[in-house]
Amino acid sequence: MPYITITDGTRIYYTDQGEGRPVLLSHGWPLSSDAWAREIKLIADAGYRAIAHDRRGHGRSSKTYAGNDLDTHVGDLRELVLTLDLTDLTLIGHGAGAGEVVRYAARHGQGRVVSIITVGGVAPLLLQTVTNPDGVPLDALDAMREAVLENASQYWIDLAGPFFGGDRRGATVTRGDSDDLWRQGQNLNLAAAYDGIRAFSETDLTDDLRALEVPVLLAHGADDRIVPSAATSEIAITLLAQGTLTIYPDAPHGIVGAYRRALDDDIIAFLSS
């Protein structure tokens, strides 16, 4: 399996499939690069080079106690891009991964990044504040931290309903989707799981969005109750120089079913545009 070793000794796993112009995918919390398996194949099949990594603490990467913050994640991504010498690069990020690719592109992407896709992205800020009343309240985020610390395995099981939208619309969450969320969550180091909540919810990316000059597609589920679009993508679109916002009716945070099929079509169309 391919790894790179970061300057601080952390080993970062990545998968690299296909040939052509590079597309790098960053996963959401509490997932790993496995969450992008379908997209990796479809992107490679379409004639691109699909690359996806496990953030530190996640999946097959080093189970780190320290460095579970957005700036460290961005530094790890920068080292991966430099090691592979990626240019003419499209970045795709889901949830927390969207925050990672936005900050990377804003701070390190000049001359390398040509376009970005965020899916259920956390930018500019997920946390509820006086100026962001539709965000997630701090006490709800604290409850997530407590649940992860108390019994992470059970939390990943309980998370499947709201994550995939099956607990509110009368839809069912498939056993495969639920089990795979649990499996990926169980491969997440507890310190990274706990600290990651702050990283994806309390990091303000307003200035990063304003700094982007490349085309950005903001994809968001209308029924995303993990990362509400009103607090994130619907604000992000007003900050971008070249942004397009696509809201998917009835779609949750997790990328599944009809939402996944529609999104994948849009990803391939965006890459070829």
Side-chain angles (χ1 to χ4, degrees):
M1 294 189 294
Y3 286 86
I4 66 164
T5 300
I6 300 301
T7 303
D8 68 359
T10 301
R11 297 183 76 220
I12 299 294
Y13 167 85
Y14 69 97
T15 183
D16 189 345
Q17 301 183 30
E19 297 179 355
R21 186 164 68 79
V23 179
L24 193 151
L25 302 99
S26 181
H27 62 81
W29 180 96
L31 306 174
S32 71
S33 59
D34 290 350
W36 289 119
R38 172 182 160 94
E39 287 70 31
I40 290 168
K41 182 182 186 318
L42 293 178
I43 290 168
D45 287 349
Y48 301 92
R49 179 184 177 188
I51 303 154
H53 66 298
D54 295 348
R55 278 195 296 282
R56 62 171 61 211
H58 299 67
R60 286 139 293 200
S61 293
S62 297
K63 299 298 186 279
T64 50
Y65 171 72
N68 302 306
D69 59 89
L70 185 61
D71 285 344
T72 302
H73 295 161
V74 168
D76 294 345
L77 179 59
R78 179 175 180 271
E79 292 200 40
L80 176 62
V81 171
L82 289 173
T83 299
L84 300 180
D85 192 23
L86 303 177
T87 57
D88 203 18
L89 174 64
T90 294
L91 298 171
I92 303 177
H94 175 226
E100 180 183 7
V101 301
V102 163
R103 176 152 289 183
Y104 168 80
R107 298 190 176 186
H108 308 292
Q110 291 77 7
R112 292 187 180 273
V113 175
V114 297
S115 58
I116 302 167
I117 302 173
T118 69
V119 184
V122 295
L125 179 65
L126 182 58
L127 179 69
Q128 183 184 75
T129 64
V130 172
T131 57
N132 190 31
D134 294 315
V136 177
L138 182 60
D139 59 358
L141 297 166
D142 288 340
M144 290 174 63
R145 279 184 273 262
E146 182 60 31
V148 167
L149 190 61
E150 180 68 21
N151 188 338
S153 180
Q154 184 61 49
Y155 183 73
W156 310 136
I157 294 171
D158 296 340
L159 180 62
F163 195 87
F164 295 116
D167 65 337
R168 191 168 78 172
R169 297 195 309 274
T172 58
V173 178
T174 69
R175 175 70 181 270
D177 288 330
S178 179
D179 285 357
D180 203 37
L181 174 62
W182 178 86
R183 177 187 67 84
Q184 291 181 63
Q186 285 295 90
N187 282 320
L188 171 58
N189 187 45
L190 184 58
Y194 188 95
D195 295 345
I197 296 170
R198 181 175 184 177
F200 73 66
S201 65
E202 299 180 44
T203 306
D204 192 334
L205 294 154
T206 300
D207 290 341
D208 301 278
L209 290 167
R210 286 177 173 148
L212 296 177
E213 298 179 350
V214 300
V216 181
L217 172 62
L218 304 169
H220 218 116
D223 195 34
D224 188 332
R225 287 177 291 124
I226 305 297
V227 180
S229 65
T232 53
S233 292
E234 292 179 41
I235 297 174
I237 190 63
T238 69
L239 302 171
L240 292 168
Q242 299 185 65
T244 301
L245 174 63
T246 300
I247 300 292
Y248 296 79
D250 298 324
H253 186 67
I255 308 171
V256 289
Y259 173 35
R260 176 164 240 165
R261 292 189 292 273
L263 174 66
D264 288 346
D265 287 345
D266 289 345
I267 287 173
I268 299 302
F270 182 80
L271 291 174
S272 63
S273 63

